[in-house]
Amino acid sequence: MNKTLKVYQIINVNARIKNVIEGDSAINAAFKFKLLRLYSEIQGVVKDFEMTKDSLVNKYGKDVVDEKGEIVPNQKRISPEDDNWKDFIKEINAVSDSDVDVNFTPISAEELFSMGLDTDACADLIPIVEE
């Protein structure tokens, strides 16, 4: 199934799948397999988002200083107290709100709800449920 999702939805789905796979032994093997397949299918988008975020941190962030007061090479950090924070947030939000076409095998609503996942997990996984 080809579906258009927002980048932030893919990031949320990715994090939730990882959490479910690593922490919930109550899910059956077939469901786990579907989640693992989907997880591998969206890794490209997740990787691209992380690379974009890193480049924005490099663009807007400040140098990281170690305990000796020396600048750590190739490391920058940004925080809400920084002058460039609003510019960083504006750009990262534009990226996370952009549309991406993904091709994956959806799961059924019945399958999702039968796994006994908490409501937050189900809500995060709704974008991968077949329509």
Side-chain angles (χ1 to χ4, degrees):
M1 174 179 170
N2 200 14
K3 190 171 184 180
T4 301
L5 297 174
K6 299 289 186 184
V7 171
Y8 73 84
Q9 289 177 303
I10 294 170
I11 300 301
N12 288 344
V13 165
N14 182 72
R16 183 56 69 177
I17 288 173
K18 184 176 180 185
N19 181 272
V20 168
I21 290 169
E22 291 176 354
D24 198 335
S25 59
I27 63 173
N28 68 43
F31 186 69
K32 185 173 187 174
F33 180 78
K34 282 186 177 182
L35 290 179
L36 285 168
R37 290 292 312 140
L38 178 62
Y39 185 77
S40 67
E41 290 168 10
I42 62 175
Q43 286 309 297
V45 174
V46 173
K47 182 180 175 187
D48 292 348
F49 176 77
E50 291 299 323
M51 289 174 60
T52 303
K53 183 176 79 172
D54 290 346
S55 72
L56 289 174
V57 169
N58 284 327
K59 178 179 178 180
Y60 292 111
K62 294 181 179 178
D63 289 324
V64 174
V65 179
D66 66 15
E67 61 278 348
K68 296 177 186 175
E70 297 177 7
I71 293 175
V72 178
N74 303 318
Q75 285 195 13
K76 293 200 175 197
R77 195 174 286 153
I78 186 130
S79 67
E81 297 80 31
D82 294 339
D83 295 336
N84 293 331
W85 179 252
K86 287 182 182 178
D87 295 327
F88 170 78
I89 291 299
K90 182 179 177 181
E91 283 199 58
I92 200 69
N93 282 347
V95 172
S96 67
D97 199 42
S98 59
D99 292 333
V100 177
D101 290 329
V102 290
N103 189 19
F104 62 92
T105 303
I107 58 176
S108 70
E110 180 182 325
E111 193 173 29
L112 175 63
F113 297 123
S114 71
M115 289 300 116
L117 301 174
D118 63 47
T119 54
D120 288 339
C122 289
D124 285 344
L125 295 175
I126 288 294
I128 63 169
V129 172
E130 62 191 356
E131 296 174 356

